[in-house]
Amino acid sequence: AELVDMLANTEEGATTVQRVVAMATTLTCEEFDESLKRARDVAVFFFFYSLRSGNADCLFAAFLKSLRRYPAGMPYRPVVIQKGYAPGFIHPLTQSWPTPDGCTPEIVEVPYEGFDLDAYRKAAQAIDAPMLLFFNSYSRVLAPNWLNKLYSAAKSLGPGSVVGATGSWEALGEHTTFPNVAIRTNAFMIERDRFLSFTHPLDTKRDTNLFEAGPDSMTKNIRACGGRVAIVDRDGRVIEPEDWPEAGVFRSGNQEQL
């Protein structure tokens, strides 16, 4: 009660109290406790380049617009990975990130040099949430309850697993043979500890391609250690690799289930 009174004395605090009360009054005690736990469990990252690398503000704006259209279905920690911006700069669009509980996005600054997966590694080192969901700069959310579907799928597969929005069987040149099962890294969820356990070099574009789909890829490492991999479609179906060609997601049909 003292904390509520203290928060209510500020405009921002009062808004937070209103959101928490609204959430609490629509859930049972058990559901509310689980909702708060999930908010601590999952960090959602958006990778945002500076303009000099060719990514205009419209990419971030389009991502945020999709979040407003399609609710996540559960609370989470929003994180913006800002690549190549001046130290201490916070992009104005960051403050318009909509979350179920009004949580303000955290900022992880990374240098201009390097590639997306290297930035993800740096961000994972900085953010201590148990589960991490990474979106690249061109991502858009296309269905409601997107986070709840991905999180539930990851939990259902068991520890050490990984889920993504898309996956591929495609071979990577002479390094792999078909079918070469790989979760694509444009949008994927993984346990923080598992992601940070990978020691692959990520210094070049070739390094990042090999991490995604090479002979020692993230997916192959996960499966070799007993973890499972799956893609999750817009209806929340958890689709394991043998069914990917008919999933209607990546290069399948009209990608109508993406």
Side-chain angles (χ1 to χ4, degrees):
E2 291 178 2
L3 177 60
V4 169
D5 290 341
M6 180 177 68
L7 285 172
N9 287 329
T10 67
E11 181 178 351
E12 182 179 0
T15 301
T16 300
V17 169
Q18 289 171 359
R19 285 175 176 143
V20 171
V21 170
M23 185 187 302
T25 55
T26 59
L27 300 174
T28 66
C29 291
E30 292 77 10
E31 289 171 336
F32 185 59
D33 289 343
E34 178 63 18
S35 180
L36 291 178
K37 178 179 181 297
R38 285 187 173 193
R40 295 188 294 269
D41 271 357
V42 186
V44 176
F45 297 80
F46 180 77
F47 184 45
F48 189 32
Y49 284 92
S50 65
L51 286 173
R52 61 177 170 154
S53 64
N55 273 355
D57 291 3
C58 62
L59 294 176
F60 193 15
F63 176 72
L64 295 173
K65 181 179 179 180
S66 74
L67 297 186
R68 287 189 286 273
R69 181 176 182 183
Y70 298 113
M74 58 177 279
Y76 60 91
R77 293 172 61 181
V79 184
V80 179
I81 306 173
Q82 289 191 167
K83 178 184 177 183
Y85 286 95
F89 173 79
I90 298 177
H91 195 281
L93 284 173
T94 299
Q95 303 307 315
S96 62
W97 185 318
T99 59
D101 56 357
C103 184
T104 301
E106 300 168 69
I107 306 295
V108 175
E109 299 177 348
V110 297
Y112 178 74
E113 296 72 21
F115 294 88
D116 51 358
L117 284 167
D118 182 50
Y120 296 172
R121 178 180 283 169
K122 290 181 171 66
Q125 291 166 344
I127 301 295
D128 62 356
M131 295 290 290
L132 312 177
L133 171 59
F134 295 102
F135 286 113
N136 74 6
S137 299
Y138 296 88
S139 297
R140 311 284 187 277
V141 171
L142 299 176
N145 300 316
W146 49 273
L147 181 56
N148 188 48
K149 291 169 183 174
L150 287 163
Y151 181 84
S152 298
K155 289 296 185 181
S156 73
L157 294 179
S161 299
V162 61
V163 297
T166 64
S168 173
W169 278 13
E170 295 177 1
L172 185 65
E174 73 280 7
H175 296 283
T176 58
T177 57
F178 182 87
N180 177 37
V181 172
I183 291 289
R184 301 181 69 231
T185 56
N186 53 355
F188 69 103
M189 175 179 279
I190 190 170
E191 294 166 351
R192 176 178 183 265
D193 290 345
R194 190 71 186 93
F195 183 61
L196 290 177
S197 72
F198 298 121
T199 58
H200 300 62
L202 297 172
D203 302 319
T204 67
K205 186 61 176 177
R206 187 62 175 168
D207 288 341
T208 61
N209 289 341
L210 289 171
F211 179 84
E212 178 175 303
D216 189 38
S217 68
M218 172 182 71
T219 298
K220 285 183 171 60
N221 271 270
I222 291 285
R223 300 180 87 187
C225 293
R228 298 165 66 189
V229 303
I231 58 176
V232 183
D233 73 5
R234 68 172 56 199
D235 294 328
R237 291 188 305 149
V238 182
I239 307 169
E240 298 199 55
E242 59 270 19
D243 295 320
W244 288 359
E246 307 301 324
V249 178
F250 178 62
R251 295 182 184 171
S252 172
N254 294 317
Q255 301 189 142
E256 62 276 4
Q257 287 301 115
L258 186 63

PDB file of all heavy atoms in Angstrom, residues 113-119 121-122 199-209 211:
ATOM      1  N   GLU A 113      30.222  -1.138 -36.016  1.00  0.00           N
ATOM      2  CA  GLU A 113      30.848  -2.299 -36.620  1.00  0.00           C
ATOM      3  C   GLU A 113      30.137  -3.582 -36.172  1.00  0.00           C
ATOM      4  O   GLU A 113      29.609  -3.674 -35.083  1.00  0.00           O
ATOM      5  CB  GLU A 113      32.329  -2.384 -36.240  1.00  0.00           C
ATOM      6  CG  GLU A 113      33.181  -1.237 -36.746  1.00  0.00           C
ATOM      7  CD  GLU A 113      32.936   0.078 -36.015  1.00  0.00           C
ATOM      8  OE1 GLU A 113      32.409   0.030 -34.874  1.00  0.00           O
ATOM      9  OE2 GLU A 113      33.236   1.140 -36.590  1.00  0.00           O
ATOM     10  N   GLY A 114      30.175  -4.589 -37.041  1.00  0.00           N
ATOM     11  CA  GLY A 114      29.629  -5.886 -36.671  1.00  0.00           C
ATOM     12  C   GLY A 114      28.278  -6.158 -37.304  1.00  0.00           C
ATOM     13  O   GLY A 114      27.712  -5.327 -38.023  1.00  0.00           O
ATOM     14  N   PHE A 115      27.761  -7.360 -37.023  1.00  0.00           N
ATOM     15  CA  PHE A 115      26.531  -7.836 -37.627  1.00  0.00           C
ATOM     16  C   PHE A 115      25.475  -8.097 -36.552  1.00  0.00           C
ATOM     17  O   PHE A 115      25.752  -8.015 -35.352  1.00  0.00           O
ATOM     18  CB  PHE A 115      26.811  -9.088 -38.456  1.00  0.00           C
ATOM     19  CG  PHE A 115      27.684  -8.807 -39.649  1.00  0.00           C
ATOM     20  CD1 PHE A 115      29.067  -8.843 -39.546  1.00  0.00           C
ATOM     21  CD2 PHE A 115      27.121  -8.477 -40.871  1.00  0.00           C
ATOM     22  CE1 PHE A 115      29.879  -8.565 -40.639  1.00  0.00           C
ATOM     23  CE2 PHE A 115      27.912  -8.190 -41.968  1.00  0.00           C
ATOM     24  CZ  PHE A 115      29.300  -8.237 -41.853  1.00  0.00           C
ATOM     25  N   ASP A 116      24.264  -8.447 -37.005  1.00  0.00           N
ATOM     26  CA  ASP A 116      23.144  -8.532 -36.070  1.00  0.00           C
ATOM     27  C   ASP A 116      23.376  -9.556 -34.958  1.00  0.00           C
ATOM     28  O   ASP A 116      23.107  -9.274 -33.790  1.00  0.00           O
ATOM     29  CB  ASP A 116      21.839  -8.814 -36.816  1.00  0.00           C
ATOM     30  CG  ASP A 116      21.919  -9.989 -37.771  1.00  0.00           C
ATOM     31  OD1 ASP A 116      22.999 -10.600 -37.903  1.00  0.00           O
ATOM     32  OD2 ASP A 116      20.891 -10.295 -38.415  1.00  0.00           O
ATOM     33  N   LEU A 117      23.870 -10.743 -35.294  1.00  0.00           N
ATOM     34  CA  LEU A 117      24.025 -11.774 -34.260  1.00  0.00           C
ATOM     35  C   LEU A 117      25.076 -11.395 -33.224  1.00  0.00           C
ATOM     36  O   LEU A 117      24.948 -11.746 -32.043  1.00  0.00           O
ATOM     37  CB  LEU A 117      24.376 -13.115 -34.908  1.00  0.00           C
ATOM     38  CG  LEU A 117      23.191 -13.817 -35.588  1.00  0.00           C
ATOM     39  CD1 LEU A 117      23.674 -14.963 -36.466  1.00  0.00           C
ATOM     40  CD2 LEU A 117      22.197 -14.316 -34.559  1.00  0.00           C
ATOM     41  N   ASP A 118      26.102 -10.667 -33.634  1.00  0.00           N
ATOM     42  CA  ASP A 118      27.088 -10.175 -32.674  1.00  0.00           C
ATOM     43  C   ASP A 118      26.434  -9.159 -31.739  1.00  0.00           C
ATOM     44  O   ASP A 118      26.689  -9.156 -30.527  1.00  0.00           O
ATOM     45  CB  ASP A 118      28.262  -9.542 -33.419  1.00  0.00           C
ATOM     46  CG  ASP A 118      29.342  -9.047 -32.466  1.00  0.00           C
ATOM     47  OD1 ASP A 118      29.765  -9.817 -31.592  1.00  0.00           O
ATOM     48  OD2 ASP A 118      29.753  -7.876 -32.600  1.00  0.00           O
ATOM     49  N   ALA A 119      25.560  -8.307 -32.295  1.00  0.00           N
ATOM     50  CA  ALA A 119      24.818  -7.356 -31.456  1.00  0.00           C
ATOM     51  C   ALA A 119      23.886  -8.090 -30.498  1.00  0.00           C
ATOM     52  O   ALA A 119      23.722  -7.687 -29.340  1.00  0.00           O
ATOM     53  CB  ALA A 119      24.028  -6.395 -32.343  1.00  0.00           C
ATOM     54  N   ARG A 121      24.385 -10.998 -29.216  1.00  0.00           N
ATOM     55  CA  ARG A 121      25.218 -11.563 -28.142  1.00  0.00           C
ATOM     56  C   ARG A 121      25.538 -10.492 -27.104  1.00  0.00           C
ATOM     57  O   ARG A 121      25.425 -10.742 -25.890  1.00  0.00           O
ATOM     58  CB  ARG A 121      26.504 -12.139 -28.735  1.00  0.00           C
ATOM     59  CG  ARG A 121      27.461 -12.701 -27.702  1.00  0.00           C
ATOM     60  CD  ARG A 121      28.706 -13.254 -28.377  1.00  0.00           C
ATOM     61  NE  ARG A 121      28.437 -14.557 -28.983  1.00  0.00           N
ATOM     62  CZ  ARG A 121      29.283 -15.180 -29.816  1.00  0.00           C
ATOM     63  NH1 ARG A 121      30.420 -14.592 -30.171  1.00  0.00           N
ATOM     64  NH2 ARG A 121      28.982 -16.376 -30.300  1.00  0.00           N
ATOM     65  N   LYS A 122      25.911  -9.310 -27.550  1.00  0.00           N
ATOM     66  CA  LYS A 122      26.214  -8.216 -26.619  1.00  0.00           C
ATOM     67  C   LYS A 122      24.974  -7.840 -25.808  1.00  0.00           C
ATOM     68  O   LYS A 122      25.064  -7.576 -24.598  1.00  0.00           O
ATOM     69  CB  LYS A 122      26.739  -7.002 -27.387  1.00  0.00           C
ATOM     70  CG  LYS A 122      28.133  -7.175 -27.984  1.00  0.00           C
ATOM     71  CD  LYS A 122      28.574  -5.916 -28.716  1.00  0.00           C
ATOM     72  CE  LYS A 122      30.037  -5.970 -29.146  1.00  0.00           C
ATOM     73  NZ  LYS A 122      30.296  -6.997 -30.167  1.00  0.00           N
ATOM     74  N   THR A 199      29.945 -20.270 -28.712  1.00  0.00           N
ATOM     75  CA  THR A 199      31.211 -19.543 -28.824  1.00  0.00           C
ATOM     76  C   THR A 199      31.597 -19.289 -30.281  1.00  0.00           C
ATOM     77  O   THR A 199      32.742 -18.936 -30.563  1.00  0.00           O
ATOM     78  CB  THR A 199      32.336 -20.330 -28.127  1.00  0.00           C
ATOM     79  OG1 THR A 199      32.443 -21.640 -28.721  1.00  0.00           O
ATOM     80  CG2 THR A 199      32.054 -20.478 -26.636  1.00  0.00           C
ATOM     81  N   HIS A 200      30.655 -19.445 -31.190  1.00  0.00           N
ATOM     82  CA  HIS A 200      30.942 -19.229 -32.608  1.00  0.00           C
ATOM     83  C   HIS A 200      31.482 -17.818 -32.854  1.00  0.00           C
ATOM     84  O   HIS A 200      30.973 -16.851 -32.266  1.00  0.00           O
ATOM     85  CB  HIS A 200      29.670 -19.388 -33.440  1.00  0.00           C
ATOM     86  CG  HIS A 200      29.018 -20.726 -33.344  1.00  0.00           C
ATOM     87  ND1 HIS A 200      28.518 -21.227 -32.163  1.00  0.00           N
ATOM     88  CD2 HIS A 200      28.754 -21.664 -34.296  1.00  0.00           C
ATOM     89  CE1 HIS A 200      27.982 -22.420 -32.381  1.00  0.00           C
ATOM     90  NE2 HIS A 200      28.113 -22.705 -33.666  1.00  0.00           N
ATOM     91  N   PRO A 201      32.454 -17.659 -33.723  1.00  0.00           N
ATOM     92  CA  PRO A 201      32.823 -16.304 -34.134  1.00  0.00           C
ATOM     93  C   PRO A 201      31.672 -15.686 -34.920  1.00  0.00           C
ATOM     94  O   PRO A 201      30.994 -16.362 -35.692  1.00  0.00           O
ATOM     95  CB  PRO A 201      34.050 -16.525 -35.024  1.00  0.00           C
ATOM     96  CG  PRO A 201      33.923 -17.933 -35.517  1.00  0.00           C
ATOM     97  CD  PRO A 201      33.251 -18.698 -34.415  1.00  0.00           C
ATOM     98  N   LEU A 202      31.462 -14.390 -34.722  1.00  0.00           N
ATOM     99  CA  LEU A 202      30.362 -13.691 -35.390  1.00  0.00           C
ATOM    100  C   LEU A 202      30.865 -12.376 -35.998  1.00  0.00           C
ATOM    101  O   LEU A 202      30.156 -11.371 -36.020  1.00  0.00           O
ATOM    102  CB  LEU A 202      29.229 -13.419 -34.404  1.00  0.00           C
ATOM    103  CG  LEU A 202      28.551 -14.655 -33.793  1.00  0.00           C
ATOM    104  CD1 LEU A 202      27.586 -14.248 -32.679  1.00  0.00           C
ATOM    105  CD2 LEU A 202      27.814 -15.465 -34.857  1.00  0.00           C
ATOM    106  N   ASP A 203      32.087 -12.404 -36.498  1.00  0.00           N
ATOM    107  CA  ASP A 203      32.743 -11.185 -36.953  1.00  0.00           C
ATOM    108  C   ASP A 203      32.429 -10.818 -38.397  1.00  0.00           C
ATOM    109  O   ASP A 203      32.567  -9.658 -38.790  1.00  0.00           O
ATOM    110  CB  ASP A 203      34.263 -11.311 -36.789  1.00  0.00           C
ATOM    111  CG  ASP A 203      34.667 -11.591 -35.353  1.00  0.00           C
ATOM    112  OD1 ASP A 203      34.062 -10.970 -34.450  1.00  0.00           O
ATOM    113  OD2 ASP A 203      35.560 -12.425 -35.131  1.00  0.00           O
ATOM    114  N   THR A 204      32.054 -11.798 -39.211  1.00  0.00           N
ATOM    115  CA  THR A 204      31.801 -11.550 -40.628  1.00  0.00           C
ATOM    116  C   THR A 204      30.419 -12.054 -41.008  1.00  0.00           C
ATOM    117  O   THR A 204      29.791 -12.815 -40.260  1.00  0.00           O
ATOM    118  CB  THR A 204      32.842 -12.270 -41.505  1.00  0.00           C
ATOM    119  OG1 THR A 204      32.653 -13.694 -41.389  1.00  0.00           O
ATOM    120  CG2 THR A 204      34.264 -11.910 -41.079  1.00  0.00           C
ATOM    121  N   LYS A 205      29.953 -11.641 -42.189  1.00  0.00           N
ATOM    122  CA  LYS A 205      28.660 -12.119 -42.663  1.00  0.00           C
ATOM    123  C   LYS A 205      28.695 -13.629 -42.830  1.00  0.00           C
ATOM    124  O   LYS A 205      27.693 -14.316 -42.550  1.00  0.00           O
ATOM    125  CB  LYS A 205      28.312 -11.441 -43.992  1.00  0.00           C
ATOM    126  CG  LYS A 205      26.914 -11.766 -44.494  1.00  0.00           C
ATOM    127  CD  LYS A 205      25.835 -11.306 -43.528  1.00  0.00           C
ATOM    128  CE  LYS A 205      24.439 -11.551 -44.066  1.00  0.00           C
ATOM    129  NZ  LYS A 205      23.393 -11.169 -43.087  1.00  0.00           N
ATOM    130  N   ARG A 206      29.818 -14.153 -43.287  1.00  0.00           N
ATOM    131  CA  ARG A 206      29.944 -15.605 -43.429  1.00  0.00           C
ATOM    132  C   ARG A 206      29.807 -16.293 -42.075  1.00  0.00           C
ATOM    133  O   ARG A 206      29.169 -17.349 -41.959  1.00  0.00           O
ATOM    134  CB  ARG A 206      31.297 -15.947 -44.062  1.00  0.00           C
ATOM    135  CG  ARG A 206      31.471 -17.413 -44.415  1.00  0.00           C
ATOM    136  CD  ARG A 206      30.461 -17.841 -45.445  1.00  0.00           C
ATOM    137  NE  ARG A 206      30.675 -19.211 -45.883  1.00  0.00           N
ATOM    138  CZ  ARG A 206      29.801 -19.889 -46.607  1.00  0.00           C
ATOM    139  NH1 ARG A 206      28.660 -19.325 -46.983  1.00  0.00           N
ATOM    140  NH2 ARG A 206      30.041 -21.126 -46.971  1.00  0.00           N
ATOM    141  N   ASP A 207      30.386 -15.695 -41.034  1.00  0.00           N
ATOM    142  CA  ASP A 207      30.250 -16.260 -39.686  1.00  0.00           C
ATOM    143  C   ASP A 207      28.787 -16.359 -39.273  1.00  0.00           C
ATOM    144  O   ASP A 207      28.352 -17.378 -38.713  1.00  0.00           O
ATOM    145  CB  ASP A 207      30.992 -15.389 -38.668  1.00  0.00           C
ATOM    146  CG  ASP A 207      32.505 -15.488 -38.781  1.00  0.00           C
ATOM    147  OD1 ASP A 207      33.011 -16.462 -39.363  1.00  0.00           O
ATOM    148  OD2 ASP A 207      33.174 -14.556 -38.278  1.00  0.00           O
ATOM    149  N   THR A 208      28.017 -15.304 -39.541  1.00  0.00           N
ATOM    150  CA  THR A 208      26.616 -15.312 -39.125  1.00  0.00           C
ATOM    151  C   THR A 208      25.804 -16.318 -39.935  1.00  0.00           C
ATOM    152  O   THR A 208      24.907 -16.969 -39.390  1.00  0.00           O
ATOM    153  CB  THR A 208      25.999 -13.911 -39.252  1.00  0.00           C
ATOM    154  OG1 THR A 208      26.039 -13.473 -40.605  1.00  0.00           O
ATOM    155  CG2 THR A 208      26.747 -12.905 -38.382  1.00  0.00           C
ATOM    156  N   ASN A 209      26.141 -16.474 -41.225  1.00  0.00           N
ATOM    157  CA  ASN A 209      25.468 -17.492 -42.036  1.00  0.00           C
ATOM    158  C   ASN A 209      25.745 -18.893 -41.499  1.00  0.00           C
ATOM    159  O   ASN A 209      24.847 -19.742 -41.439  1.00  0.00           O
ATOM    160  CB  ASN A 209      25.921 -17.400 -43.490  1.00  0.00           C
ATOM    161  CG  ASN A 209      25.385 -16.166 -44.191  1.00  0.00           C
ATOM    162  OD1 ASN A 209      24.416 -15.565 -43.751  1.00  0.00           O
ATOM    163  ND2 ASN A 209      26.027 -15.769 -45.280  1.00  0.00           N
ATOM    164  N   PHE A 211      26.561 -19.648 -38.406  1.00  0.00           N
ATOM    165  CA  PHE A 211      25.877 -19.805 -37.123  1.00  0.00           C
ATOM    166  C   PHE A 211      24.430 -20.224 -37.351  1.00  0.00           C
ATOM    167  O   PHE A 211      23.899 -21.073 -36.637  1.00  0.00           O
ATOM    168  CB  PHE A 211      25.920 -18.500 -36.330  1.00  0.00           C
ATOM    169  CG  PHE A 211      25.205 -18.574 -35.010  1.00  0.00           C
ATOM    170  CD1 PHE A 211      25.842 -19.088 -33.890  1.00  0.00           C
ATOM    171  CD2 PHE A 211      23.887 -18.139 -34.871  1.00  0.00           C
ATOM    172  CE1 PHE A 211      25.185 -19.173 -32.660  1.00  0.00           C
ATOM    173  CE2 PHE A 211      23.220 -18.218 -33.666  1.00  0.00           C
ATOM    174  CZ  PHE A 211      23.873 -18.733 -32.553  1.00  0.00           C
TER     175      PHE A 211
END
